[in-house]
Amino acid sequence: MTKKQASTDDLIAVIIKGIEEVKGEHIQLLDLREIENTVCDYFIICSGNSNTQVSAISGSVQKMVSKELKDKPWHIEGQTNSEWVLMDYVHVVVHVFQKQIRDYYDIESLWGDAKITEINTL
């Protein structure tokens, strides 16, 4: 018996739910599917106010995806200092930034051709 793969839409919804659970801010979904030679289909970008919150956001996303979809990231970077944590779920890459680091790197501008959707938090 094979495990049913969660859809990308389900994964995105659960990731956003995990971010909102610990009050991640300024959540954006970048649709990269129309851009040639991209590393994935979507980026989800959000901000936290401190190392502690960035760590909590990445932990919440991992826990929620694991619990609801029985999936885990293929790769994670940045957990040591929690200024910019990247979680690679293959088709979806999650970037969790501290605000000043997000402003500095401004990856939304680097992917300016992407369709960007603002996610309104509760």
Side-chain angles (χ1 to χ4, degrees), residues 42-83:
Y42 296 94
F43 280 166
I44 297 177
I45 305 170
C46 70
S47 302
N49 294 312
S50 65
N51 316 41
T52 306
Q53 188 179 21
V54 167
S55 181
I57 292 167
S58 66
S60 175
V61 167
Q62 289 176 66
K63 191 180 301 178
M64 208 156 279
V65 170
S66 176
K67 180 181 175 187
E68 293 192 20
L69 302 176
K70 309 291 188 256
D71 199 1
K72 61 182 180 184
W74 175 73
H75 185 73
I76 300 174
E77 288 186 29
Q79 288 184 307
T80 306
N81 63 10
S82 294
E83 291 181 346

Side-chain angles (χ1 to χ4, degrees), residues 2 9 11-13 15 22 24-25 28 44-45 48 54 58 63 66 69 74 76 78 81 98 100-101 108 110 113 120:
T2 59
D9 290 343
L11 179 60
I12 290 168
I15 290 169
V22 287
E25 300 176 348
Q28 292 184 314
I44 297 177
I45 305 170
V54 167
S58 66
K63 191 180 301 178
S66 176
L69 302 176
W74 175 73
I76 300 174
N81 63 10
Q98 284 189 39
Q100 70 276 13
I101 303 299
E108 296 92 333
L110 293 175
D113 292 342
N120 296 318

